[in-house]
Amino acid sequence: MLRRDVIIAAILTLPVFVLEMLGHLYMPFHMWLMSVVSMDVLYVGYFIATSIVLFVPGWRFFKIGIPALLRGAPEMNSLVALGAGAAYLYSVVVTFAPQVLPAQTQYVYYEAAAVIVTLISVGRWLEALAKGRTGEAIQRPVREQAKTARVQRDGKVIELPIEQVKAGDIIVVRPGEKIAVDGEIVEGTSNIDESMISGEPLPVAKTVGASVIGGTLNTNGSFSFRATKVGGDTMLAQIIRMVEEARGGKLPIQQVVDQITMWFVPAVIALAIATFAIWTIWGPNPAYVFGLVNAVAVLIIACPCAMGPATPTSIMVGTGRAAEVGVLFRKSEALQQLHDVAVVAFDKTGTLTSGKPTLTDLILDDDFEHDEVLATVAAVEAKSEHPIAAAIVAAAESRGLTTGKVTEFEAIAGNGVRARSMGGWSPSARSVTSAISTFRISPPPSISSPTKARRPSSPPLTTSSPRQSWSPTRSSRPARPSSPRCTPWG
């Protein structure tokens, strides 16, 4: 609707504005125009075009603004209606009853009335576009949400629409499926991609008792969970609700504009009345006519056309660009407060990195060959679904290494994997703590600190029997090309 109104207003306003203003700026054009069409016909044409602009696209300003003005609570619509209406009515008098005005005041202001309405309409359209782009960013995860769920009912697993899932239902999730609602795992293990909620692209390991979030993706493994929150109570629904509230709220600067307008409109009316009174008392004859002309001029000039589109345009640029890169504002004032921000702290590195780990280091004792150890570790990790395992395998493949066969592969959730390779057990632990507690391996003193192992930067550690060689590997996630240079903190 707004787009249509803006197009109509622009098409009709442009010729009125160009013909009227160009005639003032370039006199030969005015003389040529008068030789083609008479002034009376031209004014009637202006009248028709401007009437359509004011009473079709611009009618909303009068419908809202005039009642607000009569209630004593004027706002931007009142200001538009006052300025555009005064310019239009004065021009109508000049067009159809010029004899009531002095000859030196018989000028039309149709272009002013049309431009006021068109500019403010453009501002409203830009604001609607900004809200639409944010709404699209909100609806994207909603469209990708699971539409059905496999629910256990009466000893059977049946597929039901997500709207029919109740709190307490046991839901079965297969590999690659979206999780329908929030809940708690009661059986099975898996790795779940929660990037749409947390921003971290690496899947999160989940076991019995862990919570799951509706809308996230089960990457591998099958499990059952008990639904705890459904419908509007889910985390995703609450996030959408907060963003929608922020989208519908006003920025502090918009509230300031409304407050200014509340006082500005009465001040303009008072000034126009004072202008009329002064001209009526001290002006030349016919004094009341000159007073009316100048009072109307005050109303027209006082309409701040730039105030209308300025704030909506800034909102469109800010929220629209943010929505494109996946940033949503929980509170409307957050956008305005960003201009005071000097430092942005990220507690999740996945928002800055590619999310795909790569092997950066493989540290060996002097009597071990790099390629031999990497091939052995890759052979074990090839059967694992852990993202770091994929990084180790990719490193071996990039060097053209041939991985051997492994048997009796076993994955120990949260700790690592092991399998038989080269005649012995080859465990691959995810941390020093896992190596000590799960695989009963004593690391060298240089890397035996469990405190260091708990840090996010600590590497997974691998060892190959029968020689029991500690081979620390370190992986990292490269920064995204679009990420600015960041400094680690804390």
Side-chain angles (χ1 to χ4, degrees), residues 414-475:
N415 292 286
V417 296
R418 65 181 177 182
R420 286 192 177 275
S421 173
M422 300 173 58
W425 282 103
S426 296
S428 179
R430 300 294 176 224
S431 67
V432 176
T433 304
S434 297
I436 296 172
S437 61
T438 303
F439 298 108
R440 309 296 181 188
I441 302 169
S442 299
S446 60
I447 54 174
S448 60
S449 170
T451 302
K452 291 183 179 180
R454 283 194 294 269
R455 293 182 181 178
S457 58
S458 65
L461 303 169
T462 66
T463 180
S464 299
S465 293
R467 292 193 288 175
Q468 295 293 316
S469 69
W470 274 87
S471 305
T473 63
R474 182 178 287 107
S475 65

Side-chain angles (χ1 to χ4, degrees), residues 310-449:
T311 302
T313 302
S314 62
I315 295 172
M316 183 201 69
V317 174
T319 59
R321 176 58 184 153
E324 287 178 0
V325 296
V327 177
L328 302 176
F329 292 95
R330 187 170 62 89
K331 294 183 178 180
S332 57
E333 59 266 27
L335 175 63
Q336 183 175 332
Q337 292 171 352
L338 275 179
H339 80 282
D340 293 325
V341 173
V343 177
V344 178
F346 292 87
D347 65 338
K348 297 289 186 180
T349 58
T351 56
L352 304 174
T353 59
S354 62
K356 188 176 181 180
T358 58
L359 184 67
T360 58
D361 298 290
L362 177 58
I363 306 168
L364 304 172
D365 292 336
D366 294 337
D367 55 343
F368 288 91
E369 292 291 334
H370 178 280
D371 288 356
E372 176 187 352
V373 175
L374 180 57
T376 302
V377 177
V380 177
E381 296 284 16
K383 292 184 176 294
S384 172
E385 296 171 329
H386 197 281
I388 294 178
I392 295 174
V393 173
E397 292 175 349
S398 67
R399 299 176 68 91
L401 302 181
T402 302
T403 57
K405 293 183 178 181
V406 298
T407 57
E408 300 181 45
F409 175 84
E410 181 183 4
I412 303 174
N415 292 286
V417 296
R418 65 181 177 182
R420 286 192 177 275
S421 173
M422 300 173 58
W425 282 103
S426 296
S428 179
R430 300 294 176 224
S431 67
V432 176
T433 304
S434 297
I436 296 172
S437 61
T438 303
F439 298 108
R440 309 296 181 188
I441 302 169
S442 299
S446 60
I447 54 174
S448 60
S449 170

Side-chain angles (χ1 to χ4, degrees), residues 166-224:
K166 303 176 182 177
D169 281 342
I170 302 299
I171 300 172
V172 179
V173 184
R174 295 173 295 191
E177 289 184 341
K178 287 288 184 72
I179 296 172
V181 295
D182 295 358
E184 181 179 311
I185 295 179
V186 295
E187 181 183 355
T189 61
S190 184
N191 291 309
I192 297 177
D193 181 357
E194 297 182 340
S195 58
M196 67 174 294
I197 300 294
S198 67
E200 283 287 358
L202 290 182
V204 181
K206 299 284 186 177
T207 58
V208 174
S211 60
V212 293
I213 303 171
T216 55
L217 177 66
N218 178 33
T219 59
N220 55 64
S222 180
F223 63 91
S224 301

